[in-house]
Amino acid sequence: TSLPGSRDQLLDISGIGRTTPEVLNRFLEQGLRMSPASSTSVRAVTHLDISRQQVEEAVRIVRRVLA
């Protein structure tokens, strides 16, 4: 369930050969915080006060980590 004023997305990481904790740690090392959703997915929550520029930076981090 989402919090009021937020949006969430699940990212399937099953095909990248890394565990959820490994992926979450790599995100955190680059300043991006996400949560575990399952053994093969992570949960990203974007609150409405986050700017487009911040979302774009998060997308760049996700692409780097999952590449």
Side-chain angles (χ1 to χ4, degrees), residues 21-37:
E22 289 171 329
V23 170
L24 292 175
N25 284 334
R26 298 225 16 224
F27 286 153
L28 196 55
E29 289 170 358
Q30 296 191 40
L32 183 61
R33 194 181 312 171
M34 292 194 190
S35 303

Side-chain angles (χ1 to χ4, degrees), residues 33-52:
R33 194 181 312 171
M34 292 194 190
S35 303
S38 74
S39 63
T40 60
S41 63
V42 297
R43 179 174 178 251
V45 177
T46 305
H47 296 275
L48 294 179
D49 62 342
I50 300 298
S51 70
R52 181 178 183 89

Side-chain angles (χ1 to χ4, degrees), residues 2-9 43-48:
S2 295
L3 298 171
S6 68
R7 299 203 177 210
D8 63 334
Q9 297 290 316
R43 179 174 178 251
V45 177
T46 305
H47 296 275
L48 294 179

